[in-house]
């Protein structure tokens, strides 16, 4: 055993050393983010403190307390030191939105084993549910000049958007219950495109969605007269919803329903023979997963103040599926890591790399052919990262683990031994 292995084992068993290392790492990275004008590297390292916390050996309760302190105090405070405050918070907010959506898709794909390629449709349903009534668009088909609704209704529409998306999830599930595998993926892909096309053309004969022009000037949320207009304000809304989503997913994962989903994923025939209702189990998976996406659709519409069908394309559904597969299907921490990593790569890392290469090219330091321009290389680099992860981590960055049940729970206690009475041979031969 090498010295590195000995240090790793010692650190794993020494909780004091873990907390010291975590505090020092967090303080250094937080100070770097606060003092520097803009540093993508420092901000990424600060977010990595959450990953470092996951690998500590603290109890789940202590981990949750430390995570809340990092999310609600350390990260916002450290990001507020310079002019890039809203830029940092925009990335963190987008991470939260995509994490919630990926967790919803993880219920459908990771737990129930139903490959859904049109998941962004539920995101669109939630966004348009709020966008239509938070603008004067609803006056086109509801008389009375009652719209737009005030920003105070945003909090109710979070639930309404989740409910509407859940209804559409059931409507999607009903016709596809008889198909599975590749055919299910094709049907759900078609469903996602149908929803986008409907929103794109639903401006006649009654103008409901305003078609390709989209909905603008969507009312921002307000609470007790306080308007939410900046990314750092939406950050706290997203974190609050995300915590509820994570808690719900964790509870569902180890519930009777969660075990039913996993049984259906492994073998539908065996699950049905054990008394699991396939139709109801699949529909609940579609509904719950879609509702999480719909809730974040409402937040997205309020934050952007403008939505149109181009925000809900097939590439968005594919990106969310990549987040689930990259992190680890069926793994809640893995999906959180995968969604955060993909979002940060697309919004910050690869964008900053592209800008840096463009500057070098404009200054004449390097010459890049048009076929290998930085903007084109951005997708190439992202694809190579996905390929490398698939090769070296085929089960995802954090693979799903089955919950360990103590032996005493299974046997009924350390001193109880249950013996199965032997059946006489004659009874087997003659059941009468």
């Amino acid at each position: 055993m090498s010295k590195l292995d000995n240090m790793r084992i010692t650190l794993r068993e020494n909780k004091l050393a873990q907390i010291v290392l975590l505090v020092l790492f967090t303080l250094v990275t937080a100070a770097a983010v606060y003092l520097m004008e803009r540093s993508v590297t420092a901000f990424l390292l600060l977010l990595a403190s959450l990953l470092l916390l996951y690998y500590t050996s603290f109890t789940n309760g202590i981990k949750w307390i430390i995570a809340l302190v990092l999310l609600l105090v350390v990260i916002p405070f450290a990001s507020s030191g310079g002019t890039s405050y809203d830029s940092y918070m925009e990335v963190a907010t987008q991470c939260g939105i995509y994490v919630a959506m990926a967790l919803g898709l993880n219920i459908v794909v990771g737990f129930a084993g139903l490959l859904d390629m049109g998941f962004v449709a539920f995101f669109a349903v939630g966004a348009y549910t709020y966008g239509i009534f938070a603008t004067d668009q609803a006056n086109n088909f509801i008389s009375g000049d009652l719209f737009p609704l005030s920003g105070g209704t945003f909090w109710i529409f979070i639930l309404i958007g989740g409910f509407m998306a859940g209804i559409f999830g059931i409507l999607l599930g009903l016709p596809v219950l008889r198909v599975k595998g590749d055919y299910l993926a094709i049907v759900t892909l078609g469903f996602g495109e149908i929803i986008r096309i409907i929103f794109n053309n639903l401006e006649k004969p009654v103008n409901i969605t305003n078609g390709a022009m989209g909905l603008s000037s969507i009312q921002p949320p307000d609470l007790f007269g306080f308007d939410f207009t900046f990314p750092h304000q939406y950050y706290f809304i997203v974190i609050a919803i995300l915590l509820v989503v994570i808690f719900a997913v964790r509870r569902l994962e180890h519930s009777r329903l969660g075990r039913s989903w996993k049984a259906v994923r492994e073998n539908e025939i065996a699950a049905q023979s054990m008394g699991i209702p396939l139709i109801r189990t699949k529909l609940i998976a579609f509904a719950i997963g879609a509702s999480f996406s719909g809730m974040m659709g409402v937040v997205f519409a309020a934050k952007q103040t403008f939505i149109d069908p181009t925000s809900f394309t097939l590439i968005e559904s594919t990106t969310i599926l990549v987040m689930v597969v990259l992190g680890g299907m069926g793994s809640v921490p893995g999906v959180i890591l995968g969604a955060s990593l993909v979002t940060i790569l697309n919004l910050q890392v690869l964008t900053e790399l592209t800008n840096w290469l463009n500057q070098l090219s404009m200054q004449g330091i390097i010459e890049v052919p048009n076929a290998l321009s930085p903007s084109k290389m951005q997708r190439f680099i992202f694809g190579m990262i996905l390929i490398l992860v698939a090769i070296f981590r085929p089960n995802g960055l954090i693979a799903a683990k089955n919950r360990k049940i103590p032996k005493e729970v299974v046997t009924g206690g350390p001193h109880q031994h249950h013996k199965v009475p032997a059946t006489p041979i004659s009874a087997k031969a003659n059941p009468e």
Side-chain angles (χ1 to χ4, degrees), residues 131-149 206-210 215 219:
I132 290 173
F133 296 100
T135 60
D136 58 0
Q137 187 66 28
N139 291 323
N140 294 324
F141 56 92
I142 298 178
S143 60
D145 197 21
L146 302 174
F147 304 94
L149 297 177
V206 180
N207 190 357
I208 298 177
T209 64
N210 205 29
L215 301 175
Q219 290 290 321

Side-chain angles (χ1 to χ4, degrees), residues 286-304:
F286 274 115
I288 295 178
S291 64
F292 295 155
S293 184
M295 293 166 64
M296 284 304 177
V298 174
V299 178
F300 175 79
K303 185 176 75 69
Q304 298 295 116

Side-chain angles (χ1 to χ4, degrees), residues 322-323 326 342 345 381-391:
V322 166
M323 294 173 181
L326 181 70
V342 171
L345 278 174
I381 296 172
F382 181 66
M384 287 301 300
I385 292 174
L386 297 183
I387 293 173
L388 292 175
V389 173
I391 293 174

Side-chain angles (χ1 to χ4, degrees), residues 102-142:
L103 288 173
L105 183 59
N106 186 51
I107 291 178
V108 181
V109 177
F111 292 166
L114 306 171
L115 185 56
D116 190 348
M117 292 290 294
F119 197 72
V120 76
F122 310 122
F123 187 58
V125 169
Y128 272 94
T129 298
Y130 180 68
I132 290 173
F133 296 100
T135 60
D136 58 0
Q137 187 66 28
N139 291 323
N140 294 324
F141 56 92
I142 298 178

